[in-house]
Amino acid sequence: MKRGFNRQKSLDALNRHLLLLAISLLFLLPILWMISTSLKPKDAVFIFPPQFFTLPFVWNNYPDAVRFIDFGRYFLNTLVIAVLSVVGTLVSCPIAAYGFSRIRWTLREPLFYVCLSTIMLPFVAVMVPTYVLFKSLSWIGNLNILWGWAPLIVPAFGGNPLYIFLLRQFFLGIPIDLSEAAVIDGANEFQIFTRVILPLSRPALVTVTLFTFVGSWTDFLAPRLFITQKQQYTLSLGLLDYFSLHQTEWTYLMAACVIFVLPVMVLFFFAQRLFVEGISLTGIKG
C-alpha cells in the first residue's frame, strides 16, 4: 500500500513538473524566436514555413547591429538613468515605509491609504499634467544632458507607492523587540532605521532594486514623451533607429534586443534568491 502511494505521489510530482515545463516553454517562445531571428540571414526572416534556426548562424549580426546605431551612447544613457532611478528609490521609499510602519503619528493610517490609492492611477492619467510641470521647469528639451534626464530621474526621489507598500509590509514583519532593545541601548530613530531595520530588510531592498532597474531600463513611454534630444536617447528609443520608411533591419533589431535584455537577465540570475525571498516575506502582516 505504501509503495503504491509513493509511486502515485511520484507520478503526480512528475506531471506537475511536466506541466510547469510546458508553461515555461510557452513563455520562453518569444525569447527563443528573438534569439533565432538575430542569427538568421536577412533573406531567411520571413520564409514560409517559419524556421526557428537557419544554418549557418550569422554571428556578424551582433557587431553589425551595434555599429548600425549609436548603441554605446544609448546603452550608457540607459544605464545612468536606471542606476540613478534605483538610487532615488532606495533613498525615498525606505524612509517613507519606515514612517508608515514603525513610527506612530497622527493621520499615519489615512495618509498611508491615500498613498496606496495612487497605485491605481496609471501613468497615462497623469501624463499631461506631468509634462506641463516639467515643461514649466525647462526640463523638456533641455540641452544639458542631466537636466534633460531629470523628468526620468527626479520622480524616483519622490517615492513610489508600490515600493513603499512592499517595504512597509516587510518592516512590519520585523519584531518590534529589536527596535525596543536598540532604544534601551541609546539608539535614536535614525540609528534604528540604518543599523537595525535596513540590514534586516536586504531581500525586500533587492526586490525593490530589481523592480526599479527593470522598469527604468525597459521604459519606453516616459523617455519618448520627455526626451527630445537625440544624444539623450535611451536604448529603448534608440531601437527605433532600426526602422525606416522603406525597410526594417529585423536581424539587427533582434540582435540589439538580445543585448538589451541581457543585463536584466544577468541581474535577476545573481539576485534571484533574495528576490524570491523578498517577495515571499512581503505582505505577511497588514
Side-chain angles (χ1 to χ4, degrees):
M1 179 68 70
K2 185 177 181 180
R3 183 180 302 174
F5 175 77
N6 290 335
R7 185 182 295 111
Q8 183 62 39
K9 188 176 180 180
S10 299
L11 288 175
D12 291 341
L14 178 61
N15 291 332
R16 285 196 299 270
H17 282 83
L18 290 176
L19 178 61
L20 292 174
L21 180 61
I23 296 175
S24 64
L25 288 176
L26 184 63
F27 281 96
L28 286 174
L29 186 61
I31 298 177
L32 295 176
W33 184 258
M34 178 179 66
I35 296 174
S36 68
T37 304
S38 70
L39 296 172
K40 291 178 179 179
K42 293 183 179 180
D43 56 359
V45 175
F46 294 107
I47 60 174
F48 188 83
Q51 297 179 2
F52 251 101
F53 294 101
T54 304
L55 296 176
F57 293 150
V58 185
W59 297 102
N60 285 335
N61 284 339
Y62 284 87
D64 291 344
V66 172
R67 289 192 295 264
F68 192 83
I69 63 174
D70 196 356
F71 193 92
R73 177 188 291 272
Y74 298 154
F75 188 94
L76 182 61
N77 291 350
T78 310
L79 183 63
V80 171
I81 293 173
V83 170
L84 291 179
S85 297
V86 168
V87 172
T89 300
L90 292 181
V91 167
S92 59
C93 293
I95 295 175
Y98 184 79
F100 281 131
S101 61
R102 313 289 290 197
I103 301 177
R104 296 192 177 278
W105 47 282
T106 307
L107 299 179
R108 185 185 75 169
E109 297 302 321
L111 287 179
F112 171 70
Y113 290 123
V114 170
C115 174
L116 197 62
S117 66
T118 60
I119 296 178
M120 296 182 291
L121 288 175
F123 177 69
V124 293
V126 297
M127 186 168 58
V128 173
T130 302
Y131 182 89
V132 172
L133 173 63
F134 292 153
K135 185 68 175 179
S136 66
L137 295 173
S138 300
W139 289 354
I140 306 297
N142 198 304
L143 296 178
N144 184 291
I145 193 167
L146 288 180
W147 286 117
W149 289 339
L152 304 178
I153 298 172
V154 172
F157 287 85
N160 183 295
L162 175 61
Y163 304 150
I164 291 173
F165 168 73
L166 292 176
L167 290 172
R168 173 188 178 271
Q169 297 305 104
F170 194 94
F171 292 169
L172 288 174
I174 299 176
I176 194 66
D177 296 345
L178 297 177
S179 298
E180 294 174 350
V183 171
I184 294 175
D185 291 338
N188 55 36
E189 288 292 346
F190 181 76
Q191 291 172 326
I192 295 173
F193 174 64
T194 56
R195 299 183 182 181
V196 178
I197 302 300
L198 289 185
L200 293 175
S201 304
R202 190 172 61 168
L205 294 175
V206 169
T207 301
V208 169
T209 298
L210 282 173
F211 281 157
T212 305
F213 184 87
V214 173
S216 179
W217 185 267
T218 60
D219 190 16
F220 175 80
L221 181 57
R224 187 64 172 170
L225 181 66
F226 299 133
I227 297 181
T228 60
Q229 304 299 319
K230 190 82 170 181
Q231 66 271 19
Q232 299 174 2
Y233 271 16
T234 61
L235 195 51
S236 59
L237 294 181
L239 295 178
L240 294 175
D241 290 346
Y242 293 104
F243 295 91
S244 66
L245 182 62
H246 304 288
Q247 184 180 1
T248 299
E249 299 292 342
W250 290 107
T251 54
Y252 293 169
L253 177 62
M254 292 299 105
C257 287
V258 172
I259 302 174
F260 181 57
V261 301
L262 272 180
V264 176
M265 296 176 66
V266 171
L267 184 63
F268 179 78
F269 177 79
F270 285 104
Q272 59 178 319
R273 182 181 62 82
L274 289 174
F275 174 75
V276 173
E277 184 178 348
I279 289 294
S280 61
L281 295 180
T282 299
I284 294 178
K285 289 189 176 183

